[in-house]
Amino acid sequence: MRGAVDPFPDNVTPNQIHDEIDQVSAERHELWQRLSDGLDSTVQSDIRDLDARLQELWQALRMEKARLRFGEREEIVRRARAEERLERAA
Protein backbone atom coordinates (compact mmCIF):
# COMPACT_ATOMS: atom_id res chain seq x y z
CA MET A 1 0.00 0.00 0.00
CA ARG A 2 1.28 3.49 -0.78
CA GLY A 3 1.85 6.09 1.91
CA ALA A 4 0.48 9.60 1.95
CA VAL A 5 3.90 11.12 1.28
CA ASP A 6 4.16 12.77 -2.12
CA PRO A 7 6.69 10.65 -4.06
CA PHE A 8 6.98 13.03 -6.98
CA PRO A 9 10.22 14.83 -7.71
CA ASP A 10 10.19 18.42 -8.90
CA ASN A 11 10.47 17.36 -12.54
CA VAL A 12 7.36 15.17 -12.66
CA THR A 13 5.19 15.43 -15.75
CA PRO A 14 1.41 15.40 -15.93
CA ASN A 15 1.64 12.13 -17.88
CA GLN A 16 3.57 10.48 -15.05
CA ILE A 17 0.99 11.63 -12.52
CA HIS A 18 -1.83 10.42 -14.75
CA ASP A 19 -0.12 7.04 -15.14
CA GLU A 20 -0.08 6.65 -11.37
CA ILE A 21 -3.73 7.73 -11.19
CA ASP A 22 -4.54 4.93 -13.65
CA GLN A 23 -2.51 2.43 -11.63
CA VAL A 24 -4.09 3.39 -8.29
CA SER A 25 -7.56 3.38 -9.89
CA ALA A 26 -7.00 -0.15 -11.22
CA GLU A 27 -5.83 -1.31 -7.80
CA ARG A 28 -8.88 0.32 -6.20
CA HIS A 29 -11.16 -1.41 -8.72
CA GLU A 30 -9.65 -4.79 -7.81
CA LEU A 31 -10.23 -4.09 -4.13
CA TRP A 32 -13.87 -3.20 -4.79
CA GLN A 33 -14.21 -6.54 -6.61
CA ARG A 34 -12.77 -8.34 -3.58
CA LEU A 35 -15.09 -6.41 -1.28
CA SER A 36 -18.10 -7.53 -3.33
CA ASP A 37 -17.26 -11.11 -2.34
CA GLY A 38 -17.82 -10.27 1.32
CA LEU A 39 -17.22 -7.69 4.01
CA ASP A 40 -13.54 -7.33 4.85
CA SER A 41 -12.39 -4.47 7.08
CA THR A 42 -8.83 -4.68 5.73
CA VAL A 43 -10.04 -4.22 2.18
CA GLN A 44 -12.26 -1.33 3.28
CA SER A 45 -9.27 0.35 4.91
CA ASP A 46 -7.17 -0.18 1.79
CA ILE A 47 -9.90 1.38 -0.35
CA ARG A 48 -10.01 4.43 1.94
CA ASP A 49 -6.22 4.75 1.66
CA LEU A 50 -6.41 4.54 -2.13
CA ASP A 51 -9.23 7.10 -2.23
CA ALA A 52 -7.04 9.52 -0.25
CA ARG A 53 -4.10 8.81 -2.57
CA LEU A 54 -6.27 9.46 -5.62
CA GLN A 55 -7.33 12.82 -4.18
CA GLU A 56 -3.65 13.70 -3.66
CA LEU A 57 -2.78 12.65 -7.19
CA TRP A 58 -5.59 14.65 -8.78
CA GLN A 59 -4.53 17.69 -6.75
CA ALA A 60 -0.91 17.20 -7.84
CA LEU A 61 -2.05 16.92 -11.46
CA ARG A 62 -4.07 20.14 -11.23
CA MET A 63 -1.15 21.95 -9.61
CA GLU A 64 1.35 20.72 -12.19
CA LYS A 65 -0.91 21.73 -15.08
CA ALA A 66 -1.33 25.19 -13.53
CA ARG A 67 2.43 25.49 -13.04
CA LEU A 68 3.07 24.56 -16.66
CA ARG A 69 0.44 27.02 -17.88
CA PHE A 70 1.14 29.99 -15.63
CA GLY A 71 4.67 29.41 -14.30
CA GLU A 72 6.10 29.04 -10.84
CA ARG A 73 4.23 30.67 -7.97
CA GLU A 74 7.05 33.10 -7.24
CA GLU A 75 7.08 34.25 -10.86
CA ILE A 76 3.31 34.81 -10.83
CA VAL A 77 3.57 36.92 -7.67
CA ARG A 78 6.47 38.91 -9.15
CA ARG A 79 4.48 39.66 -12.33
CA ALA A 80 1.40 40.65 -10.32
CA ARG A 81 3.41 43.03 -8.18
CA ALA A 82 5.03 44.58 -11.26
CA GLU A 83 1.60 45.08 -12.87
CA GLU A 84 0.29 46.61 -9.63
CA ARG A 85 3.19 49.08 -9.56
CA LEU A 86 2.53 50.02 -13.19
CA GLU A 87 -1.18 50.60 -12.48
CA ARG A 88 -0.35 52.85 -9.53
CA ALA A 89 2.14 54.81 -11.61
CA ALA A 90 -0.37 55.38 -14.41
Side-chain angles (χ1 to χ4, degrees):
M1 196 60 44
R2 288 171 186 76
V5 176
D6 188 8
F8 296 119
D10 291 338
N11 59 350
V12 69
T13 67
N15 285 338
Q16 290 169 319
I17 297 171
H18 204 278
D19 288 345
E20 184 163 350
I21 288 172
D22 290 343
Q23 181 182 12
V24 171
S25 294
E27 188 176 341
R28 183 175 169 266
H29 177 76
E30 290 174 19
L31 288 174
W32 275 108
Q33 291 295 326
R34 284 181 41 202
L35 192 60
S36 71
D37 293 335
L39 187 60
D40 183 340
S41 61
T42 304
V43 172
Q44 287 177 317
S45 175
D46 290 346
I47 289 172
R48 279 192 295 273
D49 292 344
L50 290 177
D51 284 343
R53 182 65 185 144
L54 281 171
Q55 287 179 2
E56 292 170 358
L57 289 166
W58 281 110
Q59 179 64 22
L61 183 61
R62 286 188 294 271
M63 289 173 62
E64 183 59 18
K65 284 183 175 182
R67 187 191 67 76
L68 290 172
R69 182 173 180 192
F70 300 112
E72 296 293 336
R73 183 181 187 283
E74 294 80 21
E75 180 64 21
I76 294 169
V77 170
R78 187 191 64 73
R79 284 192 315 254
R81 287 183 179 149
E83 288 176 12
E84 188 176 280
R85 281 191 299 270
L86 288 174
E87 286 178 4
R88 277 189 265 157

